[in-house]
Amino acid sequence: MRRLPEVLVIWVPLLLSAGHVVVFTAWTTWMSFTPSTLMPASGWVGLRNYTSVLATRNWKIAFDNLLLFGAGFVVLTTLVGLILAILLDQRIRGENVLRSIFLYPMAVSFVVTGTVWSWLLNPGIGIQKLMNDLGWTTFRFDWLIDRDMAIWTIVLAAIWQASGFAMALLLAGLRSVEGDLIKAAQIDGAGPARIYLRVILPALWPIVISVLVILLQFAIKTFDLVRALTGGGPGLATQLPALVVYDFMFQRGQIGRGSAAAVLMLLTLLGVLLPYAAWKYVQRRRAANA
Amino acid sequence: MREVPFTWTRGLVYIVVVLLAAAYLVPLVVVVLNSLRSAQEIAQTSMIGWPKTWAFGNYAEAWGSFCIAQTCTGIQPFMLNSMIITLPATVLSTLLGAVAGYAISLWRFRGDGWIFGLVTLGVFLPEQMRLIPWTIVLRDVGLSNTLAGLVMIHTIQGMSFTTLFCRNYYLSIPQELMKAARIDGAGFFRIFWRIVLPLSPPILIVTVIWQFTGIWNEFLYGVTLTTGTQQPITAALIALSAAIADAPQHGVQSAAVMVAALPTLLVYVFGGRYFVRGLTAGAVK
Amino acid sequence: MAALVIRDVNKRFGPVDVLQGINLEIGSGEFTVLVGPSGCGKSTLLNIIAGLEKQTSGSVEIDGRAVNDVPPRDRDIAMVFQSYALYPSMTVRQNITFGMECRNVPRAERDAAVARVSHLLQIEPLLNRKPGQLSGGQRQRVAMGRALVRDPKLFLFDEPLSNLDAKLRVEMRMEIKQLHQRIHSTMVYVTHDQIEAMTMATRIAVMHHGLVQQFADPETVYNRPANLFVARFMGAPPMNTLPARLVAAGSGVNAVVGTGDEQVVLPLPPEMAGFAGREVILGLRPECIAEERRRFGEDVEPLMVEAPVVMTEPTGAETVVLLVLGGERVLGRLSPDVRLRPGERGRFSLDMRRACLFDPKTETLIG
Ligand SMILES: Nc1ncnc2c1ncn2[C@@H]1O[C@H](COP(=O)(O)OP(=O)(O)OP(=O)(O)O)[C@@H](O)[C@H]1O
Ligand SMILES: [Mg+2]
């Protein structure tokens, strides 16, 4: 395999695809150590960008929000996805239609999701207005403009969007549990609830972990949804790291700090992915030895 | 499938599932209904309601004449932009990813592990790490603020995903098949074309759906790397909601949202079952 | 002329030495069977011959030409795999002609070749089906057809029958043997199956620990195994091996097995007299232990022993009996009408002419 067309079709794209990851990561990391502002600049400022990013209220709030949003979104989405998967696993009629209904939010962009949910959650025109118009005048549902609750609107919209995906993966997992295992449990006299709790769910662990990790890296990267739903507000109540990076880079013209914030994002991501990769590796080793 | 006798628990399952499905459909129903209501009607009541008069004109206005940031062409040119970006980038990234995945999984070569690790990393690397480099690269190759630039970015970045998925899928092709083909005298491309590609539809459907929706729905690059009439539909939608912030035009906006979401919704409606099937056929490992 | 020569071939996978100096010289038209325990490197050796895997060192010659750097397509070989490796998306016809397609053979020639092979293997009705629509036996035939259509210098088979049920396996075994007798091609055949090895091979290579333990015709491998490994590996049930002392007795020699009450004295053929005084491992095939009335030849004086029976295994055609001889457990093959019960003492007739002697230290055959 040393011929020209092969080189062109395999190596050039493969090297571009693998190479840009290395080069761009190094590049942005390098910029995070420079005094770049509107344009990338050379020079070395050490960790100054990092210390100043970490000191801003913006970043601190964004990071706290990420913890809250990440935990809420990941746990609840997995839970909802699991419930949906178990419900659909009951050999019900119309499974295909139902599955499509739960999955369709994944097809639309976060921009659309954010826009539509911003209407529904807006107390002036959404659900609250509807209830008030219907005569329940004391009904209040104003999380969107409530500093303490606004982050949960993001969680809500994100669950709506992603739970179908979690469901699809988990349903596949449920269906791949060995039939003999379930039969054995039935012969042992276990009822459906016990079979789920003691036989099927334990076998589902690896997929649950994969789902958790996929959702978590999703959460860390969340940008468009917030942009369209709350724009980060009210105030800084729904600020997330991805928005902070964008803010530094394109609104304030501080590329150095923006890059530092981006690197911090990457480190957060690696904090999730590396343990996961290690766990996968150990699992594979165990499987190979068994 | 065996008929399952009716029991109260099963009745409950049906009730819960139908209620949940209804809840998931609310946003879609709201958008569809609003897209057919006039702005005044929405303003007088709320975003949730049945149209009193059917305002089909919203769609025409959203599509062809609504003003977004001084240009009064509706979302039509932006839809076209998104098509011009999405179709070639989807096809290219899928094809290149399939070949790359094939090379990595079935033709071991020196350093394949490293390459594969980097490709996988590319799936997870946040866009924020690549924004400034892409800006500079686009400027240097003369593709700033062009659709071609976005096609290039989405092709190269998309390859991470398509390579990963195709590689995982191709691992299940038996090595003996490869050996038989080599003894028969087939080379790299012939094996790909005649043996591997005919086995690929399940995974290609997954990657095509994933890439199409991912690229169509992409926002960050669209909004930062293009301006004005070069923007994709997602960026235009945000610009639109900014444009009407003072004088809400929810009917037209809903129509625009609906149209913008339609291509990916259709892809899911028609390809969704293959997507789930392919995803479970070995893409998740 | 030798059709295939393998010289000092070594293969290492990471830290594991899978092959450690394989030497084989296979004549034109020979049917060589490679046998050995699972994981001993049979497939690896076959892959190296095919060029699918590169040896760490050593050389391979096909038809007098060194092919170490020749890719598989140019080695003029055909191979049949255990999983058959039929291309799932192609019809049977396309599967068979794919090799010719890759070599740009004209269509008319391809059609003629398909006609010839499908007639030979009687797969004409299947030609337009996909592999998924075939039974296991039919797939096996197609895989054979794909190899036969090429008329190569060398056929390689990697356990081609092991996925078939017992009956089909016997049929295909005979067919392959007939095929070889008809076309006289050189074949290298890997199998786990003792009977396949014995019935088909012109020569058997027994592999173990990355080495060829013995390379000889089936009769020799069976009757004169080169070492204890081959003795115990070939034959089902395997050869009995008992530690024995050789004691001179007049002009002959006796093997003494066991001590005290259990001691048994077995006279050996006179040509083994030279080993008197040595400690050896005595090898005796189970068919050399039979019921009392059995005679192993017209003029052979039978040797009678009495021994306790531990267990019997009637197989229909014969009954395998586990008995204790000189304190050692040994297997005998008895006529099925002899009914012995566990715990009884039976009388057995022994054929010592076919006894083998092995050195207890080196484990090699000495006599
Ligand atoms: N690609 C490889 N990488 C590492 N080790 C390998 C590889 N291929 C084979 N081996 C090892 O080499 C040894 C020989 O393998 P091989 O497949 O040749 O055995 P075999 O004799 O054909 O066994 P079987 O009878 O089970 O088919 C095994 O221990 C196997 O684990
Ligand atoms: Mg093998």
Side-chain angles (χ1 to χ4, degrees), chain A residues 2-32:
Chain A
R2 291 273 178 279
R3 297 206 319 273
L4 186 68
E6 287 166 23
V7 169
L8 284 182
V9 177
I10 309 158
W11 285 106
V12 172
L14 205 50
L15 286 181
L16 276 177
S17 139
H20 95 275
V21 174
V22 181
V23 173
F24 286 9
T25 304
W27 196 345
T28 301
T29 309
W30 172 74
M31 281 191 296
S32 73

PDB file of all heavy atoms in Angstrom, chain A residues 2-32:
ATOM      1  N   ARG A   2       1.495   1.454  -1.076  1.00  0.00           N
ATOM      2  CA  ARG A   2       2.354   2.621  -1.175  1.00  0.00           C
ATOM      3  C   ARG A   2       2.017   3.418  -2.412  1.00  0.00           C
ATOM      4  O   ARG A   2       2.840   4.147  -2.921  1.00  0.00           O
ATOM      5  CB  ARG A   2       3.820   2.169  -1.274  1.00  0.00           C
ATOM      6  CG  ARG A   2       4.367   1.552  -0.021  1.00  0.00           C
ATOM      7  CD  ARG A   2       4.918   2.598   0.920  1.00  0.00           C
ATOM      8  NE  ARG A   2       5.402   1.966   2.129  1.00  0.00           N
ATOM      9  CZ  ARG A   2       4.578   1.615   3.127  1.00  0.00           C
ATOM     10  NH1 ARG A   2       3.283   1.861   3.044  1.00  0.00           N
ATOM     11  NH2 ARG A   2       5.068   1.026   4.198  1.00  0.00           N
ATOM     12  N   ARG A   3       0.806   3.233  -2.958  1.00  0.00           N
ATOM     13  CA  ARG A   3       0.531   3.889  -4.225  1.00  0.00           C
ATOM     14  C   ARG A   3      -0.157   5.228  -4.010  1.00  0.00           C
ATOM     15  O   ARG A   3      -0.761   5.471  -2.973  1.00  0.00           O
ATOM     16  CB  ARG A   3      -0.310   2.974  -5.109  1.00  0.00           C
ATOM     17  CG  ARG A   3       0.433   1.688  -5.457  1.00  0.00           C
ATOM     18  CD  ARG A   3      -0.064   1.100  -6.753  1.00  0.00           C
ATOM     19  NE  ARG A   3      -1.504   1.177  -6.866  1.00  0.00           N
ATOM     20  CZ  ARG A   3      -2.337   0.259  -6.386  1.00  0.00           C
ATOM     21  NH1 ARG A   3      -1.864  -0.780  -5.744  1.00  0.00           N
ATOM     22  NH2 ARG A   3      -3.633   0.380  -6.544  1.00  0.00           N
ATOM     23  N   LEU A   4      -0.064   6.076  -5.036  1.00  0.00           N
ATOM     24  CA  LEU A   4      -0.481   7.465  -4.882  1.00  0.00           C
ATOM     25  C   LEU A   4      -1.957   7.628  -4.509  1.00  0.00           C
ATOM     26  O   LEU A   4      -2.273   8.344  -3.556  1.00  0.00           O
ATOM     27  CB  LEU A   4      -0.150   8.246  -6.159  1.00  0.00           C
ATOM     28  CG  LEU A   4      -0.419   9.739  -6.023  1.00  0.00           C
ATOM     29  CD1 LEU A   4       0.545  10.373  -5.046  1.00  0.00           C
ATOM     30  CD2 LEU A   4      -0.340  10.416  -7.380  1.00  0.00           C
ATOM     31  N   PRO A   5      -2.900   6.989  -5.215  1.00  0.00           N
ATOM     32  CA  PRO A   5      -4.298   7.217  -4.850  1.00  0.00           C
ATOM     33  C   PRO A   5      -4.588   6.820  -3.421  1.00  0.00           C
ATOM     34  O   PRO A   5      -5.355   7.488  -2.726  1.00  0.00           O
ATOM     35  CB  PRO A   5      -5.072   6.345  -5.842  1.00  0.00           C
ATOM     36  CG  PRO A   5      -4.096   5.491  -6.514  1.00  0.00           C
ATOM     37  CD  PRO A   5      -2.758   6.105  -6.373  1.00  0.00           C
ATOM     38  N   GLU A   6      -3.950   5.748  -2.966  1.00  0.00           N
ATOM     39  CA  GLU A   6      -4.164   5.337  -1.591  1.00  0.00           C
ATOM     40  C   GLU A   6      -3.668   6.399  -0.626  1.00  0.00           C
ATOM     41  O   GLU A   6      -4.317   6.727   0.356  1.00  0.00           O
ATOM     42  CB  GLU A   6      -3.472   4.005  -1.331  1.00  0.00           C
ATOM     43  CG  GLU A   6      -4.208   2.867  -1.992  1.00  0.00           C
ATOM     44  CD  GLU A   6      -3.395   1.597  -2.056  1.00  0.00           C
ATOM     45  OE1 GLU A   6      -2.466   1.437  -1.254  1.00  0.00           O
ATOM     46  OE2 GLU A   6      -3.701   0.768  -2.941  1.00  0.00           O
ATOM     47  N   VAL A   7      -2.497   6.927  -0.948  1.00  0.00           N
ATOM     48  CA  VAL A   7      -1.943   7.970  -0.093  1.00  0.00           C
ATOM     49  C   VAL A   7      -2.910   9.145  -0.034  1.00  0.00           C
ATOM     50  O   VAL A   7      -3.214   9.682   1.039  1.00  0.00           O
ATOM     51  CB  VAL A   7      -0.574   8.424  -0.628  1.00  0.00           C
ATOM     52  CG1 VAL A   7      -0.121   9.672   0.095  1.00  0.00           C
ATOM     53  CG2 VAL A   7       0.437   7.307  -0.465  1.00  0.00           C
ATOM     54  N   LEU A   8      -3.423   9.538  -1.197  1.00  0.00           N
ATOM     55  CA  LEU A   8      -4.304  10.700  -1.244  1.00  0.00           C
ATOM     56  C   LEU A   8      -5.601  10.452  -0.478  1.00  0.00           C
ATOM     57  O   LEU A   8      -6.061  11.297   0.276  1.00  0.00           O
ATOM     58  CB  LEU A   8      -4.633  11.049  -2.708  1.00  0.00           C
ATOM     59  CG  LEU A   8      -3.508  11.748  -3.454  1.00  0.00           C
ATOM     60  CD1 LEU A   8      -3.947  12.095  -4.865  1.00  0.00           C
ATOM     61  CD2 LEU A   8      -3.094  13.009  -2.711  1.00  0.00           C
ATOM     62  N   VAL A   9      -6.180   9.269  -0.691  1.00  0.00           N
ATOM     63  CA  VAL A   9      -7.501   9.040  -0.115  1.00  0.00           C
ATOM     64  C   VAL A   9      -7.429   8.652   1.356  1.00  0.00           C
ATOM     65  O   VAL A   9      -8.330   8.949   2.126  1.00  0.00           O
ATOM     66  CB  VAL A   9      -8.254   7.965  -0.926  1.00  0.00           C
ATOM     67  CG1 VAL A   9      -9.593   7.664  -0.290  1.00  0.00           C
ATOM     68  CG2 VAL A   9      -8.454   8.444  -2.338  1.00  0.00           C
ATOM     69  N   ILE A  10      -6.351   7.974   1.751  1.00  0.00           N
ATOM     70  CA  ILE A  10      -6.284   7.553   3.154  1.00  0.00           C
ATOM     71  C   ILE A  10      -5.509   8.527   3.992  1.00  0.00           C
ATOM     72  O   ILE A  10      -5.985   9.052   4.990  1.00  0.00           O
ATOM     73  CB  ILE A  10      -5.599   6.183   3.298  1.00  0.00           C
ATOM     74  CG1 ILE A  10      -6.235   5.188   2.365  1.00  0.00           C
ATOM     75  CG2 ILE A  10      -5.711   5.694   4.711  1.00  0.00           C
ATOM     76  CD1 ILE A  10      -5.326   4.048   2.072  1.00  0.00           C
ATOM     77  N   TRP A  11      -4.270   8.756   3.568  1.00  0.00           N
ATOM     78  CA  TRP A  11      -3.381   9.441   4.493  1.00  0.00           C
ATOM     79  C   TRP A  11      -3.661  10.915   4.619  1.00  0.00           C
ATOM     80  O   TRP A  11      -3.641  11.456   5.726  1.00  0.00           O
ATOM     81  CB  TRP A  11      -1.929   9.200   4.095  1.00  0.00           C
ATOM     82  CG  TRP A  11      -1.538   7.829   4.475  1.00  0.00           C
ATOM     83  CD1 TRP A  11      -1.353   6.765   3.656  1.00  0.00           C
ATOM     84  CD2 TRP A  11      -1.369   7.343   5.806  1.00  0.00           C
ATOM     85  NE1 TRP A  11      -1.073   5.646   4.385  1.00  0.00           N
ATOM     86  CE2 TRP A  11      -1.068   5.976   5.708  1.00  0.00           C
ATOM     87  CE3 TRP A  11      -1.447   7.927   7.064  1.00  0.00           C
ATOM     88  CZ2 TRP A  11      -0.846   5.188   6.821  1.00  0.00           C
ATOM     89  CZ3 TRP A  11      -1.223   7.143   8.170  1.00  0.00           C
ATOM     90  CH2 TRP A  11      -0.924   5.792   8.055  1.00  0.00           C
ATOM     91  N   VAL A  12      -3.942  11.588   3.504  1.00  0.00           N
ATOM     92  CA  VAL A  12      -4.161  13.027   3.610  1.00  0.00           C
ATOM     93  C   VAL A  12      -5.353  13.330   4.520  1.00  0.00           C
ATOM     94  O   VAL A  12      -5.211  14.071   5.492  1.00  0.00           O
ATOM     95  CB  VAL A  12      -4.311  13.654   2.203  1.00  0.00           C
ATOM     96  CG1 VAL A  12      -4.740  15.096   2.320  1.00  0.00           C
ATOM     97  CG2 VAL A  12      -3.004  13.523   1.440  1.00  0.00           C
ATOM     98  N   PRO A  13      -6.518  12.717   4.274  1.00  0.00           N
ATOM     99  CA  PRO A  13      -7.634  13.010   5.185  1.00  0.00           C
ATOM    100  C   PRO A  13      -7.369  12.558   6.610  1.00  0.00           C
ATOM    101  O   PRO A  13      -7.672  13.286   7.563  1.00  0.00           O
ATOM    102  CB  PRO A  13      -8.805  12.210   4.594  1.00  0.00           C
ATOM    103  CG  PRO A  13      -8.411  11.901   3.212  1.00  0.00           C
ATOM    104  CD  PRO A  13      -6.935  11.829   3.180  1.00  0.00           C
ATOM    105  N   LEU A  14      -6.774  11.364   6.744  1.00  0.00           N
ATOM    106  CA  LEU A  14      -6.550  10.843   8.086  1.00  0.00           C
ATOM    107  C   LEU A  14      -5.589  11.746   8.864  1.00  0.00           C
ATOM    108  O   LEU A  14      -5.801  12.033  10.040  1.00  0.00           O
ATOM    109  CB  LEU A  14      -5.994   9.419   7.986  1.00  0.00           C
ATOM    110  CG  LEU A  14      -6.227   8.502   9.170  1.00  0.00           C
ATOM    111  CD1 LEU A  14      -7.677   8.513   9.586  1.00  0.00           C
ATOM    112  CD2 LEU A  14      -5.796   7.094   8.835  1.00  0.00           C
ATOM    113  N   LEU A  15      -4.559  12.201   8.176  1.00  0.00           N
ATOM    114  CA  LEU A  15      -3.603  13.060   8.871  1.00  0.00           C
ATOM    115  C   LEU A  15      -4.220  14.421   9.167  1.00  0.00           C
ATOM    116  O   LEU A  15      -3.952  15.008  10.219  1.00  0.00           O
ATOM    117  CB  LEU A  15      -2.330  13.213   8.040  1.00  0.00           C
ATOM    118  CG  LEU A  15      -1.459  11.957   8.041  1.00  0.00           C
ATOM    119  CD1 LEU A  15      -0.197  12.166   7.231  1.00  0.00           C
ATOM    120  CD2 LEU A  15      -1.097  11.539   9.465  1.00  0.00           C
ATOM    121  N   LEU A  16      -5.049  14.918   8.256  1.00  0.00           N
ATOM    122  CA  LEU A  16      -5.737  16.176   8.543  1.00  0.00           C
ATOM    123  C   LEU A  16      -6.630  16.018   9.763  1.00  0.00           C
ATOM    124  O   LEU A  16      -6.632  16.846  10.670  1.00  0.00           O
ATOM    125  CB  LEU A  16      -6.595  16.595   7.344  1.00  0.00           C
ATOM    126  CG  LEU A  16      -5.890  17.350   6.227  1.00  0.00           C
ATOM    127  CD1 LEU A  16      -6.865  17.625   5.089  1.00  0.00           C
ATOM    128  CD2 LEU A  16      -5.335  18.649   6.767  1.00  0.00           C
ATOM    129  N   SER A  17      -7.364  14.902   9.768  1.00  0.00           N
ATOM    130  CA  SER A  17      -8.330  14.715  10.841  1.00  0.00           C
ATOM    131  C   SER A  17      -7.640  14.473  12.178  1.00  0.00           C
ATOM    132  O   SER A  17      -8.044  15.021  13.199  1.00  0.00           O
ATOM    133  CB  SER A  17      -9.280  13.579  10.456  1.00  0.00           C
ATOM    134  OG  SER A  17      -9.551  12.756  11.533  1.00  0.00           O
ATOM    135  N   ALA A  18      -6.600  13.646  12.175  1.00  0.00           N
ATOM    136  CA  ALA A  18      -5.868  13.414  13.432  1.00  0.00           C
ATOM    137  C   ALA A  18      -4.974  14.607  13.739  1.00  0.00           C
ATOM    138  O   ALA A  18      -4.825  15.011  14.889  1.00  0.00           O
ATOM    139  CB  ALA A  18      -5.045  12.142  13.338  1.00  0.00           C
ATOM    140  N   GLY A  19      -4.397  15.180  12.679  1.00  0.00           N
ATOM    141  CA  GLY A  19      -3.420  16.254  12.865  1.00  0.00           C
ATOM    142  C   GLY A  19      -4.039  17.519  13.411  1.00  0.00           C
ATOM    143  O   GLY A  19      -3.455  18.177  14.276  1.00  0.00           O
ATOM    144  N   HIS A  20      -5.231  17.876  12.930  1.00  0.00           N
ATOM    145  CA  HIS A  20      -5.780  19.148  13.390  1.00  0.00           C
ATOM    146  C   HIS A  20      -6.073  19.114  14.881  1.00  0.00           C
ATOM    147  O   HIS A  20      -5.992  20.127  15.556  1.00  0.00           O
ATOM    148  CB  HIS A  20      -6.999  19.548  12.546  1.00  0.00           C
ATOM    149  CG  HIS A  20      -8.318  19.148  13.119  1.00  0.00           C
ATOM    150  ND1 HIS A  20      -8.876  17.909  12.924  1.00  0.00           N
ATOM    151  CD2 HIS A  20      -9.206  19.832  13.890  1.00  0.00           C
ATOM    152  CE1 HIS A  20     -10.040  17.859  13.546  1.00  0.00           C
ATOM    153  NE2 HIS A  20     -10.271  19.004  14.133  1.00  0.00           N
ATOM    154  N   VAL A  21      -6.347  17.907  15.383  1.00  0.00           N
ATOM    155  CA  VAL A  21      -6.598  17.783  16.817  1.00  0.00           C
ATOM    156  C   VAL A  21      -5.348  18.173  17.604  1.00  0.00           C
ATOM    157  O   VAL A  21      -5.400  18.985  18.533  1.00  0.00           O
ATOM    158  CB  VAL A  21      -7.020  16.335  17.161  1.00  0.00           C
ATOM    159  CG1 VAL A  21      -7.132  16.149  18.661  1.00  0.00           C
ATOM    160  CG2 VAL A  21      -8.332  15.997  16.488  1.00  0.00           C
ATOM    161  N   VAL A  22      -4.224  17.621  17.169  1.00  0.00           N
ATOM    162  CA  VAL A  22      -2.967  17.902  17.866  1.00  0.00           C
ATOM    163  C   VAL A  22      -2.574  19.356  17.698  1.00  0.00           C
ATOM    164  O   VAL A  22      -2.298  20.076  18.676  1.00  0.00           O
ATOM    165  CB  VAL A  22      -1.838  17.009  17.302  1.00  0.00           C
ATOM    166  CG1 VAL A  22      -0.543  17.293  18.036  1.00  0.00           C
ATOM    167  CG2 VAL A  22      -2.215  15.552  17.404  1.00  0.00           C
ATOM    168  N   VAL A  23      -2.563  19.785  16.432  1.00  0.00           N
ATOM    169  CA  VAL A  23      -2.046  21.122  16.145  1.00  0.00           C
ATOM    170  C   VAL A  23      -2.922  22.193  16.796  1.00  0.00           C
ATOM    171  O   VAL A  23      -2.414  23.111  17.443  1.00  0.00           O
ATOM    172  CB  VAL A  23      -1.970  21.336  14.621  1.00  0.00           C
ATOM    173  CG1 VAL A  23      -1.591  22.761  14.302  1.00  0.00           C
ATOM    174  CG2 VAL A  23      -0.970  20.359  14.014  1.00  0.00           C
ATOM    175  N   PHE A  24      -4.225  22.046  16.661  1.00  0.00           N
ATOM    176  CA  PHE A  24      -5.109  23.084  17.201  1.00  0.00           C
ATOM    177  C   PHE A  24      -5.081  23.108  18.718  1.00  0.00           C
ATOM    178  O   PHE A  24      -5.136  24.173  19.339  1.00  0.00           O
ATOM    179  CB  PHE A  24      -6.544  22.874  16.706  1.00  0.00           C
ATOM    180  CG  PHE A  24      -6.743  23.253  15.264  1.00  0.00           C
ATOM    181  CD1 PHE A  24      -5.656  23.562  14.449  1.00  0.00           C
ATOM    182  CD2 PHE A  24      -8.009  23.333  14.722  1.00  0.00           C
ATOM    183  CE1 PHE A  24      -5.836  23.917  13.120  1.00  0.00           C
ATOM    184  CE2 PHE A  24      -8.201  23.692  13.393  1.00  0.00           C
ATOM    185  CZ  PHE A  24      -7.115  23.976  12.586  1.00  0.00           C
ATOM    186  N   THR A  25      -4.986  21.917  19.309  1.00  0.00           N
ATOM    187  CA  THR A  25      -4.906  21.888  20.771  1.00  0.00           C
ATOM    188  C   THR A  25      -3.644  22.594  21.243  1.00  0.00           C
ATOM    189  O   THR A  25      -3.678  23.426  22.155  1.00  0.00           O
ATOM    190  CB  THR A  25      -4.918  20.429  21.275  1.00  0.00           C
ATOM    191  OG1 THR A  25      -6.082  19.792  20.776  1.00  0.00           O
ATOM    192  CG2 THR A  25      -4.923  20.373  22.781  1.00  0.00           C
ATOM    193  N   ALA A  26      -2.538  22.265  20.570  1.00  0.00           N
ATOM    194  CA  ALA A  26      -1.275  22.901  20.945  1.00  0.00           C
ATOM    195  C   ALA A  26      -1.349  24.415  20.706  1.00  0.00           C
ATOM    196  O   ALA A  26      -0.894  25.219  21.535  1.00  0.00           O
ATOM    197  CB  ALA A  26      -0.132  22.296  20.128  1.00  0.00           C
ATOM    198  N   TRP A  27      -1.945  24.779  19.612  1.00  0.00           N
ATOM    199  CA  TRP A  27      -2.030  26.178  19.202  1.00  0.00           C
ATOM    200  C   TRP A  27      -2.819  26.996  20.237  1.00  0.00           C
ATOM    201  O   TRP A  27      -2.357  28.024  20.746  1.00  0.00           O
ATOM    202  CB  TRP A  27      -2.724  26.232  17.842  1.00  0.00           C
ATOM    203  CG  TRP A  27      -2.588  27.498  17.077  1.00  0.00           C
ATOM    204  CD1 TRP A  27      -2.172  28.713  17.548  1.00  0.00           C
ATOM    205  CD2 TRP A  27      -2.878  27.674  15.685  1.00  0.00           C
ATOM    206  NE1 TRP A  27      -2.190  29.629  16.540  1.00  0.00           N
ATOM    207  CE2 TRP A  27      -2.616  29.025  15.389  1.00  0.00           C
ATOM    208  CE3 TRP A  27      -3.331  26.831  14.679  1.00  0.00           C
ATOM    209  CZ2 TRP A  27      -2.800  29.542  14.104  1.00  0.00           C
ATOM    210  CZ3 TRP A  27      -3.516  27.344  13.413  1.00  0.00           C
ATOM    211  CH2 TRP A  27      -3.245  28.683  13.118  1.00  0.00           C
ATOM    212  N   THR A  28      -4.009  26.505  20.566  1.00  0.00           N
ATOM    213  CA  THR A  28      -4.829  27.238  21.532  1.00  0.00           C
ATOM    214  C   THR A  28      -4.157  27.251  22.903  1.00  0.00           C
ATOM    215  O   THR A  28      -4.193  28.260  23.612  1.00  0.00           O
ATOM    216  CB  THR A  28      -6.234  26.616  21.609  1.00  0.00           C
ATOM    217  OG1 THR A  28      -6.819  26.661  20.307  1.00  0.00           O
ATOM    218  CG2 THR A  28      -7.118  27.361  22.576  1.00  0.00           C
ATOM    219  N   THR A  29      -3.535  26.129  23.249  1.00  0.00           N
ATOM    220  CA  THR A  29      -2.833  26.091  24.526  1.00  0.00           C
ATOM    221  C   THR A  29      -1.718  27.131  24.541  1.00  0.00           C
ATOM    222  O   THR A  29      -1.538  27.866  25.514  1.00  0.00           O
ATOM    223  CB  THR A  29      -2.241  24.690  24.765  1.00  0.00           C
ATOM    224  OG1 THR A  29      -3.262  23.726  24.567  1.00  0.00           O
ATOM    225  CG2 THR A  29      -1.693  24.561  26.164  1.00  0.00           C
ATOM    226  N   TRP A  30      -0.999  27.205  23.430  1.00  0.00           N
ATOM    227  CA  TRP A  30       0.077  28.190  23.349  1.00  0.00           C
ATOM    228  C   TRP A  30      -0.492  29.606  23.472  1.00  0.00           C
ATOM    229  O   TRP A  30       0.027  30.431  24.221  1.00  0.00           O
ATOM    230  CB  TRP A  30       0.829  28.023  22.018  1.00  0.00           C
ATOM    231  CG  TRP A  30       1.822  29.117  21.785  1.00  0.00           C
ATOM    232  CD1 TRP A  30       3.028  29.289  22.407  1.00  0.00           C
ATOM    233  CD2 TRP A  30       1.688  30.208  20.871  1.00  0.00           C
ATOM    234  NE1 TRP A  30       3.653  30.415  21.952  1.00  0.00           N
ATOM    235  CE2 TRP A  30       2.843  31.000  20.997  1.00  0.00           C
ATOM    236  CE3 TRP A  30       0.698  30.596  19.962  1.00  0.00           C
ATOM    237  CZ2 TRP A  30       3.035  32.152  20.250  1.00  0.00           C
ATOM    238  CZ3 TRP A  30       0.884  31.735  19.212  1.00  0.00           C
ATOM    239  CH2 TRP A  30       2.054  32.511  19.358  1.00  0.00           C
ATOM    240  N   MET A  31      -1.614  29.864  22.775  1.00  0.00           N
ATOM    241  CA  MET A  31      -2.196  31.215  22.840  1.00  0.00           C
ATOM    242  C   MET A  31      -2.615  31.573  24.248  1.00  0.00           C
ATOM    243  O   MET A  31      -2.632  32.749  24.621  1.00  0.00           O
ATOM    244  CB  MET A  31      -3.411  31.310  21.896  1.00  0.00           C
ATOM    245  CG  MET A  31      -3.017  31.507  20.449  1.00  0.00           C
ATOM    246  SD  MET A  31      -4.431  31.923  19.429  1.00  0.00           S
ATOM    247  CE  MET A  31      -5.400  30.463  19.549  1.00  0.00           C
ATOM    248  N   SER A  32      -2.939  30.540  25.042  1.00  0.00           N
ATOM    249  CA  SER A  32      -3.383  30.835  26.396  1.00  0.00           C
ATOM    250  C   SER A  32      -2.231  31.348  27.267  1.00  0.00           C
ATOM    251  O   SER A  32      -2.467  31.849  28.362  1.00  0.00           O
ATOM    252  CB  SER A  32      -3.997  29.580  27.021  1.00  0.00           C
ATOM    253  OG  SER A  32      -2.987  28.651  27.335  1.00  0.00           O
TER     254      SER A  32
END
